[in-house]
Amino acid sequence: METQEVNKITFEEFKSQIISDYRIAFLSREVSLLSRREVLTGKAKFGIFGDGKELPQIAMAKVFRNGDFRSGYYRDQTFMFAIGELKVEEFFAQLYAFTDLEKEPASGGRQMTSHFATRSLNEDGSWKKLTAQKNSSSDISPTAGQMPRLLGLAQASKYYRNVPEADKEQNFSVNGNEIGFGTIGDASTSEGHFWETVNAGGVLQIPMIISIWDDGYGISVPAEYQRTKSNLSELLSGFQRNDNERGYEIITVKGWDYPGLIEAYSRAEKLAREHHIPCIVHVQECTQPQGHSTSGSHERYKSEDRLNWEKEYDGITKFREYILAFDNQSIITEEELDQLEAEIKAEVKSSQKQCWNDYLNPILELKNQAIDLLEKIAEESSNAAFIQIEINNLKAKKSPFKRDVYSTVRKVFRLVRLEDLNSKIAVNDWLSNNLKLEEQKYSAGLVSGTATKVNQIAPIYSDSPDLEDGRVIVRNNFEKLFTKYPKALVFGEDAGNIGDVNQGLEGLQEKFGIDRISDTGIREATILGQGIGLAMRGLRPIAEIQYLDYILYCLQGISDDLATVFYRSCGTQKAPVIIRTRGHRLEGIWHSGSPMGGILNLVRGVNVLVPRDLTKAAGFYNTLLQADEPAIVVESLNGYRLKEPVPTNIGEFTTPIGEVEVTKGGTDITILTYGSTWRIVMQAAKELEQLGISAEVIDAQSLLPFDINGDVAKSLTKTNRLVIVDEDVPGGASAFLLQEIIEKQAGYFTLDSAPVTVTAKAHRPAYATDGDYFSKPSVDDIVEKVYEVISEAKPNEFPPLY
């Protein structure tokens, strides 16, 4: 710092920089200290803070430019303060879970403290100019879960540099010069996501800087139990680049060494930004002055020697010593530094107090409104004594939660449920209107809603259409899409050179290049992560997960990250990733599962689409690229070699999302199914016709969302009977579909027989054709189960088969 950086600036400029940096570090520390007290006094639920990590984050902030992206750890508050994307009031607003998006812009109160985000979207859902601002992807808590996303955030720069026509306006990249900055705690590097990301980043050679905040502990567990070698740099040394092999530049620096940190990040930035060489900055000897979180005290597991060392080598203590050690030209006197610290403490306290008042006053107003309304009820009610107890309990709460107010009103309503009171009308209106507002604050915005609004274009066929393998239709459709959308790219295992294992991308790498149609290693978690990061930077990635079973490898990322991006950012960020996979009707324990129930339960916020053939699948891709929502498309693996008529409007026709299709009319019973099982159901329906049973067959097409027009319930008004055929395990997707139809669509009103599900067995399918026959629904199973339903209703006309 003194020899390399100061020569470039005057001493006055250097002095100003040092004081500014100390101010940010001390302010951040004071925020941490005061926030912990707010939790312990009951004003906030939980606290996790960045104390001890202040200096490296200030150094990182100095090389963070407009257009760069952070994918971070929940201890990065100092960094966010330093880049000007976090105010003290906003930090406390998140601590208090303030649902005002203007006051708490990271998540509108949906995320706990220290989960940061910047706004990528305008109010209408369109992209901001991300190159004109500093960017932070919305944080998640799961350990190392931020790492896979980082891969895509950094890879986007490489893509934009190599495919400049994808962003001529430079809204997302300026010549691919942006860096993806990742931060992680040292204990979290024990997770597989970290190592998978490091390996993939080294293969891709992308502008990525990973910072490891190493304080020697994972909550209470020290480094010796976390990894084979306690020195992470030594453990990572195999990734170090050399003259013969690609790799990382690995830089080690102490967390309390201010000039060393400035030099380390300056070096890492140059390599990453200019040369796209990934870097790891291992920041050793960080401290954690308040322990892991407000859940406990680190005095329980740290020795007295360790605690004393942490006090001595605290970053702010060392920074203060560094500043006061300048003898010849004083940066600031000790008295002036004391005064600065006092001013900062007063500033933080004032900001906290203002934020608390801003948060509490609307709730107090809500409380007063409720009390006024309830007292009017008490005046009329014969239960006045009991109502007054509830009113008094509410009055006694000086710092109530909204929950206290609404719970009191609802309890009083139960007390007067049998009374005809004029005052109930006003209270009911008040409660109804306010709960609608709270619904918006806490539950709205799971998806943007664009996917179901895409203009529908049906496939067009000539009078004598050509017949082609399904794989050819989807391949030709992809060719049209990659020509039409320069931001579209696809990557995955075997997706590039051979055009995927089923040739659905055959020849496309040769035509569109390796940047757009590319192979990856066997690493599903980071294939998904690439997709998330790329999509956050304006691209339209199609992430190939080779088989449906392999979704389980990246299900954590889909569930915790992708599915929640739009919701947890309160509609200010999006990641419209398309996950392309294939499955159904396979044979054998592996690669044959249809874990749809598990997927459906874990990925709310992602469209789950189950086309019955490859034309339907192509239509879904055409729809999704006109929308901005993430989706999983499960292609039917046994459909690639089946002949389908070729539409004349390849690349244009759409498959509607959220709509079912009646593929065979009928009057006696409704059979709902999806995916490859549809073909088996159609065969069964033909046999049922021969037995005198008219089955209406409905293809669900889309499971999330499902049947937004209620067409299955409409079918039941005609048939009055329902069978769901599903190759998931019992109680899997069929249970989900039953709730949708029977409860949400009120289909139970029209049923004359109990609804029936025909599912696979509870185990994975046994191997070979016979294993499939006895493990999953067969034509025989479906025919006999449907016949049984009809036989129960009409035993004389349809006597039991057995």
Side-chain angles (χ1 to χ4, degrees):
M1 175 73 183
E2 293 174 79
T3 58
Q4 183 174 348
E5 294 292 323
V6 176
N7 291 336
K8 299 179 182 179
I9 59 176
T10 67
F11 186 79
E12 284 303 311
E13 291 170 329
F14 171 69
K15 173 180 172 180
S16 175
Q17 173 185 300
I18 293 291
I19 294 173
S20 174
D21 289 350
Y22 186 83
R23 190 182 197 290
I24 292 169
F26 194 86
L27 178 141
S28 183
R29 176 65 61 85
E30 189 60 26
V31 166
S32 297
L33 296 172
L34 183 52
S35 294
R36 182 180 177 87
R37 292 197 291 271
E38 289 297 279
V39 174
L40 298 181
T41 57
K43 287 183 179 179
K45 193 80 172 180
F46 176 76
I48 194 161
F49 312 113
D51 44 305
K53 318 297 188 293
E54 292 92 354
L55 296 194
Q57 291 180 26
I58 286 172
M60 186 172 80
K62 288 184 179 298
V63 298
F64 195 84
R65 311 295 181 210
N66 283 351
D68 289 347
F69 251 95
R70 164 189 170 273
S71 184
Y73 177 42
Y74 45 63
R75 300 196 186 279
D76 290 349
Q77 70 197 51
T78 308
F79 172 79
M80 296 301 290
F81 284 134
I83 65 170
E85 292 297 332
L86 178 68
K87 299 182 177 67
V88 173
E89 294 89 341
E90 292 168 350
F91 186 92
F92 283 105
Q94 192 172 64
L95 184 73
Y96 302 137
F98 200 170
T99 54
D100 185 329
L101 188 59
E102 294 305 312
K103 299 289 186 180
E104 202 280 90
S107 73
R110 293 179 175 184
Q111 292 237 69
M112 71 179 184
T113 190
S114 296
H115 286 64
F116 307 111
T118 53
R119 295 189 183 184
S120 298
L121 306 179
N122 296 306
E123 289 188 9
D124 63 358
S126 62
W127 289 103
K128 289 179 174 291
K129 190 176 181 67
L130 300 187
T131 51
Q133 63 182 47
K134 294 177 173 65
N135 304 285
S136 173
S137 58
S138 178
D139 290 339
I140 59 174
S141 285
T143 307
Q146 72 275 25
M147 287 290 105
R149 181 198 329 143
L150 171 65
L151 200 66
L153 290 170
Q155 187 194 359
S157 292
K158 183 174 183 177
Y159 184 87
Y160 284 124
R161 180 173 285 185
N162 294 345
V163 189
E165 64 270 21
D167 185 27
K168 294 177 181 178
E169 299 80 10
Q170 297 191 335
N171 289 322
F172 302 100
S173 180
V174 178
N175 304 320
N177 292 332
E178 300 76 25
I179 298 173
F181 285 80
T183 65
I184 190 168
D186 65 293
S188 297
T189 65
S190 301
E191 291 278 11
H193 282 0
F194 171 79
W195 293 100
E196 191 172 311
T197 300
V198 169
N199 181 57
V203 170
L204 291 169
Q205 289 293 285
I206 49 180
M208 181 169 78
I209 298 176
I210 298 175
S211 296
I212 303 170
W213 312 141
D214 189 347
D215 57 33
Y217 288 84
I219 305 183
S220 67
V221 181
E224 62 191 277
Y225 297 112
Q226 299 283 357
R227 46 192 177 267
T228 306
K229 296 183 177 181
S230 59
N231 188 327
L232 262 170
S233 299
E234 186 178 349
L235 194 59
L236 287 161
S237 61
F239 290 97
Q240 174 66 48
R241 68 193 179 107
N242 56 44
D243 292 339
N244 300 315
E245 290 184 301
R246 65 193 176 187
Y248 283 78
E249 185 67 15
I250 300 175
I251 302 168
T252 302
V253 63
K254 306 298 184 184
W256 44 265
D257 180 4
Y258 175 79
L261 287 161
I262 300 297
E263 193 280 329
Y265 278 100
S266 176
R267 179 179 161 202
E269 181 204 20
K270 184 177 180 62
L271 290 169
R273 198 178 302 282
E274 296 180 13
H275 305 291
H276 282 195
I277 294 171
C279 299
I280 295 173
V281 181
H282 178 201
V283 184
Q284 299 175 316
E285 297 187 10
C286 291
T287 63
Q288 203 154 273
Q290 298 186 111
H292 175 265
S293 69
T294 55
S295 292
S297 169
H298 62 156
E299 283 83 3
R300 291 183 299 160
Y301 53 83
K302 289 179 181 175
S303 68
E304 186 175 349
D305 286 346
R306 172 70 189 193
L307 291 170
N308 288 333
W309 179 88
E310 289 197 10
K311 289 179 182 177
E312 182 181 355
Y313 282 87
D314 179 89
I316 292 179
T317 299
K318 286 291 184 182
F319 195 14
R320 184 183 173 100
E321 291 173 359
Y322 170 80
I323 293 171
L324 296 177
F326 281 80
D327 295 327
N328 297 331
Q329 289 180 286
S330 174
I331 293 176
I332 189 171
T333 66
E334 188 168 3
E335 293 75 15
E336 290 170 333
L337 201 54
D338 291 341
Q339 178 61 33
L340 176 63
E341 290 175 356
E343 291 171 0
I344 293 170
K345 287 183 178 182
E347 176 188 332
V348 171
K349 181 60 181 175
S350 175
S351 294
Q352 173 271 319
K353 185 176 180 180
Q354 182 62 54
C355 181
W356 175 250
N357 289 334
D358 290 343
Y359 162 77
L360 185 61
N361 286 338
I363 302 177
L364 293 176
E365 175 61 26
L366 197 72
K367 168 187 163 182
N368 293 333
Q369 291 172 5
I371 289 170
D372 290 342
L373 291 166
L374 294 180
E375 286 180 336
K376 290 183 173 66
I377 284 185
E379 291 172 4
E380 287 188 72
S381 175
S382 59
N383 287 289
F386 297 104
I387 294 170
Q388 199 59 52
I389 291 172
E390 300 301 327
I391 292 173
N392 290 341
N393 286 340
L394 183 57
K395 284 182 176 179
K397 295 182 183 296
K398 303 302 180 187
S399 299
F401 295 108
K402 287 187 281 188
R403 174 194 66 193
D404 300 319
V405 178
Y406 291 119
S407 182
T408 300
V409 174
R410 295 166 83 174
K411 187 171 183 179
V412 168
F413 250 82
R414 294 194 292 273
L415 288 172
V416 298
R417 67 192 183 281
L418 301 178
E419 297 184 77
D420 184 16
L421 307 175
N422 292 329
S423 53
K424 285 171 66 174
I425 298 173
V427 180
N428 183 56
D429 289 345
W430 178 90
L431 181 63
S432 176
N433 292 334
N434 278 286
L435 286 180
K436 287 178 183 176
L437 293 175
E438 303 300 352
E439 176 76 12
Q440 286 292 313
K441 292 174 181 176
Y442 291 97
S443 299
L446 185 61
V447 294
S448 68
T450 59
T452 57
K453 296 175 184 175
V454 172
N455 185 42
Q456 294 182 29
I457 301 173
I460 299 172
Y461 297 96
S462 64
D463 292 338
S464 299
D466 294 333
L467 294 177
E468 286 281 9
D469 290 347
R471 72 167 190 90
V472 174
I473 292 175
V474 79
R475 181 201 65 192
N476 292 348
N477 194 78
F478 276 132
E479 184 175 5
K480 293 282 188 179
L481 292 179
F482 289 123
T483 301
K484 185 177 182 179
Y485 298 105
K487 285 186 169 66
L489 67 159
V490 63
F491 46 90
E493 299 159 19
D494 301 302
N497 184 42
I498 68 169
D500 88 40
V501 289
N502 299 102
Q503 283 76 61
L505 297 167
E506 182 187 26
L508 298 189
Q509 186 181 80
E510 185 177 354
K511 179 170 183 177
F512 293 101
I514 198 170
D515 291 294
R516 300 192 64 191
I517 319 292
S518 56
D519 289 309
T520 70
I522 301 175
R523 49 173 182 79
E524 286 78 11
T526 47
I527 291 172
L528 181 274
Q530 276 178 257
I532 297 173
L534 290 164
M536 283 184 158
R537 290 195 59 191
L539 293 168
R540 296 309 310 266
I542 301 171
E544 276 250 5
I545 304 298
Q546 197 163 82
Y547 294 108
L548 182 59
D549 301 54
Y550 297 174
I551 285 278
L552 300 182
Y553 281 94
C554 58
L555 191 54
Q556 181 271 329
I558 301 173
S559 181
D560 288 330
D561 198 354
L562 180 61
T564 67
V565 167
F566 195 73
Y567 171 79
R568 75 177 188 264
S569 69
C570 213
T572 62
Q573 292 190 0
K574 60 184 175 184
V577 183
I578 299 172
I579 301 168
R580 181 188 183 220
T581 188
R582 49 195 65 82
H584 303 314
R585 304 310 303 192
L586 302 178
E587 297 174 352
I589 291 177
W590 316 117
H591 311 332
S592 59
S594 294
M596 300 307 300
I599 292 170
L600 291 171
N601 287 331
L602 290 169
V603 303
R604 304 300 167 93
V606 175
N607 294 280
V608 177
L609 312 176
V610 283
R612 65 178 180 265
D613 58 36
L614 276 301
T615 301
K616 287 289 183 182
F620 276 136
Y621 295 123
N622 297 340
T623 299
L624 289 166
L625 284 170
Q626 296 179 62
D628 66 356
E629 296 177 16
I632 300 170
V633 181
V634 185
E635 297 176 5
S636 295
L637 183 55
N638 57 10
Y640 291 111
R641 303 295 171 180
L642 296 179
K643 299 297 183 182
E644 297 181 29
V646 180
T648 60
N649 57 339
I650 288 281
E652 300 298 329
F653 63 85
T654 58
T655 304
I657 290 174
E659 297 185 21
V660 303
E661 182 179 352
V662 177
T663 59
K664 179 189 172 299
T667 56
D668 294 329
I669 195 164
T670 298
I671 306 177
L672 173 69
T673 190
Y674 62 88
S676 293
T677 307
W678 170 84
R679 285 189 280 278
I680 296 170
V681 170
M682 290 296 284
Q683 293 175 37
K686 289 180 182 178
E687 291 203 23
L688 288 166
E689 289 287 348
Q690 295 170 5
L691 295 171
I693 297 172
S694 175
E696 180 146 292
V697 178
I698 299 180
D699 177 15
Q701 300 194 110
S702 169
L703 297 180
L704 288 179
F706 171 73
D707 192 13
I708 59 178
N709 297 321
D711 288 329
V712 176
K714 294 171 188 173
S715 175
L716 294 182
T717 64
K718 176 174 57 174
T719 67
N720 308 116
R721 293 176 180 86
L722 173 66
V723 172
I724 296 174
V725 181
D726 175 25
E727 65 176 35
D728 196 0
V729 297
S734 56
F736 164 78
L737 292 168
L738 273 176
Q739 184 189 31
E740 290 286 317
I741 298 161
I742 303 303
E743 182 182 336
K744 291 187 179 180
Q745 295 185 7
Y748 71 92
F749 274 120
T750 55
L751 287 179
D752 291 338
S753 300
V756 171
T757 62
V758 183
T759 69
K761 303 297 185 184
H763 54 74
R764 296 282 184 99
Y767 179 59
T769 299
D770 284 341
D772 177 82
Y773 180 82
F774 289 106
S775 301
K776 289 192 173 185
S778 66
V779 171
D780 298 323
D781 295 330
I782 297 164
V783 169
E784 291 178 5
K785 185 61 72 172
V786 171
Y787 186 93
E788 184 181 319
V789 174
I790 301 298
S791 175
E792 183 183 39
K794 303 174 183 180
N796 294 329
E797 190 177 348
F798 299 93
L801 292 172
Y802 301 109

